[in-house]
Amino acid sequence: MTVFKYLMTSIWRMKWHIFTYALIFFILSAVNQGLDPQERGDFSNTRLDLILVRQEDSKLGDAFQDYLEENHDVELSSKPVEELRERIFIGEMDGIIVLPEDLEEGILKKTSPVQIITINTNSSNLVYSMTNGYFTFANAVLTAGQTDFEALNQTFSKEAKVTLLQGQESNKQNEASIWASFYFNFMTYALIAIFIGLFGLLLSNFQETKVLQRQLISSTSLVSINKSKLMACGFVAFFITALFILGALAFRPSLVTQPIFLKYVLVSLAFAAAALSMAFLASVIIGNNRFLYSGLSTVLGLGLSFTSGVFVPLEVLSDPVLNFAKLFPVYYVVKSNQTVDSSLSSYLPTIGILLLFALFYFVIAMAISRVKSGNKLIAF
């Protein structure tokens, strides 16, 4: 109980640091709030800037290339896809379409061999729908034993008049949900930076040699001390997370009526638990070297944000980077927020993974703490 009171008193002394972090987060969110997409009342033909990589030599590939060149601005390339991804990220091109060597065979077997690389924008939806629609009809042509794709190209080149039958309220709800996904993705960076910077500094006091020696002769077990640490830090972590969640409602009040908002809340709370355990582990590893905490909070927060899809879309990241990102909890939050499914079964596995990360970090921290304190066994 003494440890809990000490930490709560220390956290209260640092309350202005917490509110400064929160204020910066809300200012950046307010800037993002002002970047609302303009409402549109009609559709018009859109020419996309595309890169076509042909690894095959087939009539279907020729027909698809002719269709693209007639309706869009197409650049043929033989460069590796990894070299072309950067042009998608900087917005120079709308998408990359890769036709594999076994294109016709794959389309006929419905194995979806065509690779599409875009970022999460409106144009990406056009690229996906156009490509998938074309090759769906191409499958029907190949199944019928035909190889003349001229009629297919003529069909896809016809103009269609589209009338949007959607209420203004529905548009606002969809826009709010999209905005919320970016908000809660960015919140992962803020929580990591705050938790490591704040709790790391506070918990570092317990890593001093004199304190560790005092713990050895204390009647209070190391596990009880660590539980008191987590209780105090967990209380504040919940308060900070709840503050950010309420901030989302301040920017988008309509979120409270949407079922998907519950997903954002539960996933964020689970991530807060993982981030808190990560901060606890950092305090055990770094010890009382206070200068490292601010640097680690910045480097780790920014590093995971860039590699896990917070600042850079997952679609433009290479496979090695994505494999690295999967070792940390931020990736799973971003991946979950990308889906619009609000059913509990769609995000329950994500919550489970985040809680496993929290447990893993805690167990590792306990083991290292036990070694540092000179004890050999963890006694609960």
Side-chain angles (χ1 to χ4, degrees):
M1 199 64 182
T2 303
V3 175
F4 180 85
K5 292 181 179 179
Y6 167 76
L7 284 174
M8 292 302 297
T9 302
S10 300
I11 291 173
W12 178 251
R13 292 173 182 171
M14 301 180 68
K15 59 183 179 296
W16 296 116
H17 295 276
I18 299 175
F19 284 110
T20 300
Y21 273 115
L23 180 61
I24 294 174
F25 174 76
F26 287 133
I27 289 175
L28 294 176
S29 300
V31 172
N32 187 33
Q33 154 84 5
L35 301 177
D36 292 336
Q38 296 180 351
E39 295 183 3
R40 303 182 185 273
D42 60 343
F43 289 98
S44 60
N45 290 334
T46 302
R47 293 187 67 87
L48 301 173
D49 295 315
L50 302 171
I51 299 176
L52 180 63
V53 180
R54 295 190 58 181
Q55 301 173 348
E56 42 65 63
D57 183 13
S58 64
K59 290 185 178 181
L60 178 57
D62 293 337
F64 183 63
Q65 179 180 336
D66 292 339
Y67 163 72
L68 290 181
E69 291 177 342
E70 181 179 353
N71 297 278
H72 305 283
D73 298 322
V74 181
E75 174 186 327
L76 285 177
S77 178
S78 59
K79 295 181 180 180
V81 176
E82 299 301 326
E83 295 183 14
L84 300 173
R85 287 179 184 269
E86 183 178 356
R87 300 179 64 183
I88 301 294
F89 172 61
I90 64 177
E92 180 181 344
M93 308 298 290
D94 293 310
I96 302 172
I97 303 175
V98 183
L99 305 183
E101 294 181 3
D102 58 342
L103 174 65
E104 292 189 1
E105 181 182 355
I107 293 298
L108 190 58
K109 294 181 178 179
K110 297 183 180 181
T111 56
S112 302
V114 179
Q115 182 181 7
I116 303 172
I117 303 172
T118 66
I119 57 177
N120 190 21
T121 61
N122 291 332
S123 61
S124 68
N125 296 328
L126 293 176
V127 177
Y128 276 104
S129 60
M130 171 194 66
T131 306
N132 293 333
Y134 186 94
F135 286 110
T136 297
F137 279 92
N139 170 262
V141 174
L142 291 172
T143 302
Q146 301 178 14
T147 57
D148 184 6
F149 301 99
E150 182 178 352
L152 177 61
N153 284 3
Q154 292 176 354
T155 301
F156 268 79
S157 297
K158 291 181 179 179
E159 294 184 0
K161 183 175 181 62
V162 180
T163 301
L164 178 63
L165 299 178
Q166 187 176 32
Q168 184 177 5
E169 186 63 27
S170 178
N171 284 333
K172 289 182 178 180
Q173 289 182 354
N174 291 337
E175 188 277 327
S177 179
I178 294 173
W179 176 88
S181 67
F182 290 99
Y183 178 92
F184 285 100
N185 285 347
F186 182 59
M187 195 174 82
T188 60
Y189 162 69
L191 291 182
I192 288 178
I194 293 176
F195 287 3
I196 293 181
L198 173 66
F199 299 138
L201 285 175
L202 291 174
L203 296 176
S204 65
N205 295 329
F206 292 87
Q207 300 302 318
E208 296 180 359
T209 303
K210 292 182 178 179
V211 177
L212 291 175
Q213 291 175 347
R214 188 176 303 172
Q215 291 177 4
L216 287 175
I217 61 176
S218 173
S219 59
T220 305
S221 68
L222 179 62
V223 172
S224 297
I225 295 175
N226 286 331
K227 284 182 178 179
S228 297
K229 295 178 186 177
L230 286 180
M231 285 177 59
C233 294
F235 177 81
V236 178
F238 176 80
F239 170 79
I240 295 174
T241 306
L243 180 65
F244 287 163
I245 292 173
L246 292 176
L249 294 179
F251 288 115
R252 291 291 193 279
S254 62
L255 279 174
V256 73
T257 62
Q258 299 186 36
I260 201 171
F261 180 65
L262 179 62
K263 179 183 85 168
Y264 293 137
V265 171
L266 296 180
V267 171
S268 297
L269 291 175
F271 176 80
L276 176 60
S277 293
M278 185 185 296
F280 182 51
L281 176 60
S283 70
V284 173
I285 295 176
I286 296 177
N288 59 353
N289 191 339
R290 301 182 175 221
F291 296 100
L292 290 180
Y293 287 104
S294 59
L296 179 63
S297 64
T298 301
V299 172
L300 189 60
L302 288 176
L304 293 181
S305 296
F306 276 106
T307 59
S308 301
V310 176
F311 297 150
V312 180
L314 290 174
E315 291 80 3
V316 303
L317 296 175
S318 63
D319 291 337
V321 174
L322 291 176
N323 291 333
F324 171 79
K326 292 177 182 178
L327 300 175
F328 298 92
V330 178
Y331 169 84
Y332 299 94
V333 176
V334 175
K335 195 69 176 177
S336 174
N337 290 345
Q338 280 187 337
T339 62
V340 295
D341 190 355
S342 59
S343 62
L344 181 62
S345 60
S346 67
Y347 59 88
L348 191 60
T350 300
I351 294 177
I353 292 173
L354 294 175
L355 294 179
L356 285 176
F357 270 111
L359 179 62
F360 173 75
Y361 293 144
F362 176 73
V363 170
I364 297 298
M366 286 290 294
I368 297 176
S369 178
R370 176 65 67 180
V371 171
K372 281 192 172 184
S373 66
N375 295 310
K376 297 181 181 179
L377 298 175
I378 300 179
F380 287 90

